[in-house]
């Protein structure tokens, strides 16, 4: 609970949010000062027609809305990629484990392959999510996800060292997994026709492709020039708004409130977009990537248990004339 509150408060300390509050406060103070100095009378001679102000506000709102819509689209895409990634890893692993059921090789050799496979898959998903959150960009350790692995210390030391020393850890672990599967086919641990086994390679490839598609959300930012333009628009609105507001209000307090509210809302939209620049990053407080990794680990552990179980079969308690299912119940009452 404490960490959650800390993360929420951290969202309120981004430069975009703080800048919006400061700009809105200065705008409100300027409006109050203008009113107290009699600006509600002489400012009417200086400000342009109200239509000009309306056009400026409309344009500024459209720019802020576009940036916010872009950030929300990234968030939706990131959520889709997050679950599609783990689903592809699980699909490939499930198929490969099932393909080993009728192998004639010793049980120890089959178990060696399965145990290694699930650990590599857990490692690949964790490495993918860790890369997407941008760990190597100087982000504080407190505000990044920490992903659980399925007993990585049980992999041989050479494998661990090669993965850690690799510059492209996800791709390196991916290639190791493919080589592991090919070796299992050669050793006749996987006794399935090639056209069927190739589906598992396609699932692995789909997972890697999903990872690279997700990188465009995590790594590709808005152009600096566009961000600069939005900043200039905010400053312009913050400067002009008090001059217009002061000609319509009846007090210094109302001048401050209306000016502060209008400028702050525009800046707040910009702050929301800034907080969603990378939904995979824990500090954005959007996607819970750690829970997805834990769920995948639980699913992989379940696959290990099912690999040793018998296939399901129908057992009738008595010969039924109808030969149909006579007892029906819901899943909750099963």
């Amino acid at each position: 609970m404490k960490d959650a509150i800390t993360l929420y408060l951290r969202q309120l300390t981004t430069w975009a949010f703080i800048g919006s509050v400061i700009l809105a406060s200065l705008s409100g103070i300027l409006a109050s000062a203008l009113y107290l100095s009699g600006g509600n009378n002489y400012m009417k001679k200086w400000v342009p027609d109200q239509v000009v102000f309306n056009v400026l506000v409309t344009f500024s709102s459209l720019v802020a809305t576009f940036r916010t819509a872009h950030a929300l689209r990234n968030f939706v895409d990131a959520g889709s990629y997050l679950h599609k990634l783990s689903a592809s890893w699980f699909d490939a692993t499930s198929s490969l484990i099932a393909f080993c059921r009728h192998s004639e090789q010793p049980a120890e050799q089959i178990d060696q392959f399965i145990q290694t496979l699930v650990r590599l898959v857990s490692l690949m998903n964790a490495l993918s999510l860790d890369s997407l959150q941008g760990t190597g960009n100087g982000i504080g350790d407190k505000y990044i996800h920490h992903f659980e692995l399925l007993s990585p210390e049980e992999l041989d030391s050479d494998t661990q060292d090669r993965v850690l020393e690799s510059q492209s850890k996800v791709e390196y672990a991916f290639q190791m997994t493919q080589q592991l599967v090919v070796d299992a086919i050669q050793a006749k641990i996987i006794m399935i026709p090639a056209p069927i086994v190739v589906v598992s390679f396609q699932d692995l490839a789909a997972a890697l492709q999903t990872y690279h598609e997700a990188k465009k959300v995590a790594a590709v930012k808005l152009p600096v020039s566009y961000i600069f333009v939005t900043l200039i628009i905010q400053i312009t609105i913050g400067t002009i708004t008090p001059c217009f507001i002061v000609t319509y209000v009846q007090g210094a307090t109302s001048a401050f409130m209306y000016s502060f509210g209008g400028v702050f809302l525009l800046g707040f939209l910009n702050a929301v977009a800034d907080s969603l620049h990378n939904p995979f990053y824990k500090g954005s407080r959007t996607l819970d990537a750690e829970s997805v990794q834990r769920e995948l680990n639980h699913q992989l552990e379940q696959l290990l248990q099912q690999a040793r179980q018998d296939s399901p079969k129908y057992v009738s308690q008595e010969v039924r004339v109808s030969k149909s299912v006579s007892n029906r119940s819901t899943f909750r009452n099963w």
Side-chain angles (χ1 to χ4, degrees):
M1 182 64 179
K2 182 179 179 182
D3 292 339
I5 295 176
T6 302
L7 286 173
Y8 280 122
L9 292 176
R10 188 174 185 274
Q11 286 187 341
L12 302 181
T13 58
T14 60
W15 69 268
F17 186 86
I18 294 177
S20 300
V21 173
I22 294 176
L23 183 60
S25 300
L26 293 176
S27 180
I29 293 173
L30 177 60
S32 298
L34 288 174
Y35 183 86
L36 294 175
S37 64
N40 56 328
N41 295 320
Y42 64 80
M43 286 304 299
K44 295 180 180 180
K45 303 176 181 179
W46 295 96
V47 296
D49 189 81
Q50 184 178 355
V51 176
V52 177
F53 181 69
N54 292 339
V55 171
L56 179 61
V57 171
T58 302
F59 173 74
S60 304
S61 301
L62 289 175
V63 172
T65 302
F66 171 78
R67 188 182 181 194
T68 305
H70 176 270
L72 291 176
R73 184 170 61 253
N74 281 354
F75 169 72
V76 173
D77 291 343
S80 176
Y81 292 138
L82 180 65
H83 292 279
K84 183 179 178 181
L85 181 66
S86 62
S88 297
W89 294 133
F90 175 82
D91 193 10
T93 308
S94 176
S95 298
L96 291 171
I97 292 178
F99 293 160
C100 298
R101 289 186 65 85
H102 295 291
S103 174
E104 298 177 355
Q105 299 302 313
E108 294 78 8
Q109 193 173 352
I110 299 174
D111 188 66
Q112 171 75 15
F113 166 71
I114 294 176
Q115 294 286 350
T116 305
L117 176 64
V118 296
R119 282 160 177 76
L120 286 178
V121 170
S122 175
L123 177 63
M124 281 192 295
N125 192 67
L127 290 174
S128 300
L129 297 179
D130 187 67
S131 174
L132 291 174
Q133 72 175 337
T135 307
N137 296 330
I139 301 175
D141 184 72
K142 186 177 181 180
Y143 300 106
I144 61 175
H145 292 290
H146 297 276
F147 302 106
E148 299 176 359
L149 300 175
L150 285 181
S151 304
E153 68 280 357
E154 295 180 359
L155 293 171
D156 62 279
S157 58
D158 288 341
T159 298
Q160 298 180 46
D161 293 339
R162 289 197 296 266
V163 172
L164 292 176
E165 294 173 359
S166 174
Q167 296 297 320
S168 302
K169 293 180 173 58
V170 177
E171 290 79 4
Y172 192 89
F174 176 82
Q175 183 62 22
M176 292 176 67
T177 304
Q178 292 203 117
Q179 292 176 353
L180 176 70
V181 175
V182 171
D183 292 342
I185 296 173
Q186 180 66 27
K188 296 184 178 181
I189 296 175
I190 297 178
M191 297 290 292
I192 297 293
I196 300 178
V197 178
V198 73
V199 175
S200 298
F201 286 99
Q202 292 174 349
D203 290 332
L204 290 172
L208 186 66
Q209 183 177 1
T210 300
Y211 161 68
H212 284 284
E213 289 178 353
K215 289 179 70 173
K216 72 180 181 182
V217 175
V220 179
K221 312 300 181 185
L222 282 174
V224 177
S225 57
Y226 185 85
I227 299 177
F228 180 75
V229 168
T230 58
L231 178 62
I232 295 299
I233 290 175
Q234 279 189 272
I235 296 175
T236 303
I237 290 294
T239 304
I240 296 179
T241 298
C243 300
F244 277 91
I245 290 296
V246 76
T247 61
Y248 293 97
V249 297
Q250 300 298 321
T253 302
S254 58
F256 177 87
M257 296 302 296
Y258 283 116
S259 183
F260 178 89
V263 175
F264 175 75
L265 288 177
L266 180 63
F268 184 72
L269 285 176
N270 185 62
V272 169
D274 183 73
S275 67
L276 293 175
H277 71 285
N278 183 3
F280 295 103
Y281 167 49
K282 186 177 182 179
S284 65
R285 195 59 186 177
T286 50
L287 299 177
D288 190 1
E290 291 181 9
S291 65
V292 175
Q293 174 68 14
R294 286 194 297 269
E295 182 180 3
L296 177 62
N297 288 338
H298 293 325
Q299 293 169 348
L300 293 175
E301 290 176 336
Q302 181 175 277
L303 286 178
L304 290 176
Q305 297 173 1
Q306 288 182 283
R308 304 178 181 89
Q309 296 175 355
D310 295 332
S311 299
K313 51 185 175 292
Y314 169 71
V315 178
S316 62
Q317 297 179 355
E318 60 183 3
V319 178
R320 303 181 185 277
V321 178
S322 62
K323 295 183 180 180
S324 63
V325 179
S326 60
N327 183 22
R328 300 175 183 271
S329 62
T330 63
F331 171 74
R332 297 297 180 185
N333 297 328
W334 191 12

